[in-house]
Amino acid sequence: MSWKAWLLALCLSAMAASAWAAPPARLALVIDDLGQNPARDRRVLALPGPVALSILPDTPHSRELAQAAHAAGKTVMLHLPMDPANGPYAWHPGLTTAELERRLDAALRQVPYARGLNNHMGSRMTLQRPAMAWLMQRLQQDHRFFIDSRTSADTVAAAEAQKAGLASLSRDIFLDDDQSPGAVAAQFDAALKLARKQGSALMIGHPHPATLELLERELPRLKQQGFELIDVEMLIALRGNRAMAAHGKAGVYR
């Protein structure tokens, strides 16, 4: 074989390999508990890429942050308080559907441009199947998505969203249950490993100092490491509302 023929064969082989190369592992990121501290909120807003901002309705800067995030092209979410959370917007077992709806509507007015919501706390409320079923039907009517923060292993929220055909996701990794820098770094590494294993991972974090420092440092490095940070709505589309192995079997939530 001449060197020209060899070079042509090599180029064709490289092109074929590139065409069949696996897509990058995908990551999506939601930052919760926002609207309380303008300095922290600004750091989250400045994070690179399509980071979703989940804003508490009963905070002094909720509307201001939602407007700024929308203007910056970020995904705005309502961080809806659920039992054992308290406050005027919190959902509790035993409340009537009319009262749940009143609180949801009031919370949405405090967080304009919310494209979806996830639960703040909610380890007791997300076990309430009738209330979760109603919520998913309501979000379907509103054309909003739902993310189950999975604050309880026994949550039925994701399963009810799936039954309703609602655009939804379940959290894979909490970055900062332990707020120490080493623990946050370990959780971020766990998210990368999970994304490589199953193709994607949904991370939820909070505006703690160690979390923000890690994200400011590591998010700009993701691409060169073979990862793509994508919007949560794109991840919903990619997963097609199917449960990951940790949350269900054969794509169906437990």
Side-chain angles (χ1 to χ4, degrees), residues 120-158:
H120 171 58
M121 299 188 184
S123 57
R124 287 194 286 268
M125 194 66 213
T126 57
L127 275 58
Q128 309 300 311
R129 195 173 295 276
M132 293 299 101
W134 180 87
L135 175 61
M136 304 315 158
Q137 293 291 342
R138 166 61 192 271
L139 294 177
Q140 185 77 288
Q141 294 171 13
D142 289 353
H143 304 290
R144 291 187 171 97
F145 64 83
F146 176 75
I147 291 179
D148 190 346
S149 300
R150 301 194 74 85
T151 54
S152 168
D154 297 321
T155 177
V156 300

Side-chain angles (χ1 to χ4, degrees), residues 150 170-172 194 197-198 200 239 242-254:
R150 301 194 74 85
S170 270
R171 181 269 309 164
D172 293 306
L194 184 61
K197 179 181 178 181
Q198 64 182 22
S200 65
R239 289 190 177 179
R242 291 176 60 81
M244 295 291 99
H247 304 144
K249 186 176 181 181
V252 179
Y253 284 99
R254 287 189 290 272

Side-chain angles (χ1 to χ4, degrees), residues 2 15 18 43 76 80 89 104 142 155 158 166 174 195 251:
S2 70
M15 290 172 63
S18 176
R43 287 181 70 182
V76 177
L80 182 65
Y89 307 100
L104 174 61
D142 289 353
T155 177
L166 178 69
F174 270 133

Side-chain angles (χ1 to χ4, degrees), residues 131-252:
M132 293 299 101
W134 180 87
L135 175 61
M136 304 315 158
Q137 293 291 342
R138 166 61 192 271
L139 294 177
Q140 185 77 288
Q141 294 171 13
D142 289 353
H143 304 290
R144 291 187 171 97
F145 64 83
F146 176 75
I147 291 179
D148 190 346
S149 300
R150 301 194 74 85
T151 54
S152 168
D154 297 321
T155 177
V156 300
E160 290 302 319
Q162 189 177 55
K163 288 178 186 176
L166 178 69
S168 62
L169 286 173
S170 270
R171 181 269 309 164
D172 293 306
I173 298 285
F174 270 133
L175 291 176
D176 45 21
D177 281 341
D178 181 337
Q179 298 175 33
S180 65
V184 174
Q187 285 298 97
F188 187 76
D189 186 57
L192 300 186
K193 290 177 180 176
L194 184 61
R196 286 194 182 101
K197 179 181 178 181
Q198 64 182 22
S200 65
L202 173 60
M203 306 176 288
I204 292 182
H206 302 81
H208 304 311
T211 306
L212 294 177
E213 288 168 12
L214 178 135
L215 294 173
E216 288 165 348
R217 181 179 69 247
E218 296 297 333
L219 291 185
R221 301 177 182 176
L222 286 177
K223 187 174 182 179
Q224 67 189 44
Q225 296 174 8
F227 296 94
E228 183 182 5
L229 184 65
I230 64 173
D231 185 81
V232 290
E233 291 182 270
M234 184 178 292
L235 185 55
I236 289 171
L238 286 172
R239 289 190 177 179
N241 284 359
R242 291 176 60 81
M244 295 291 99
H247 304 144
K249 186 176 181 181
V252 179

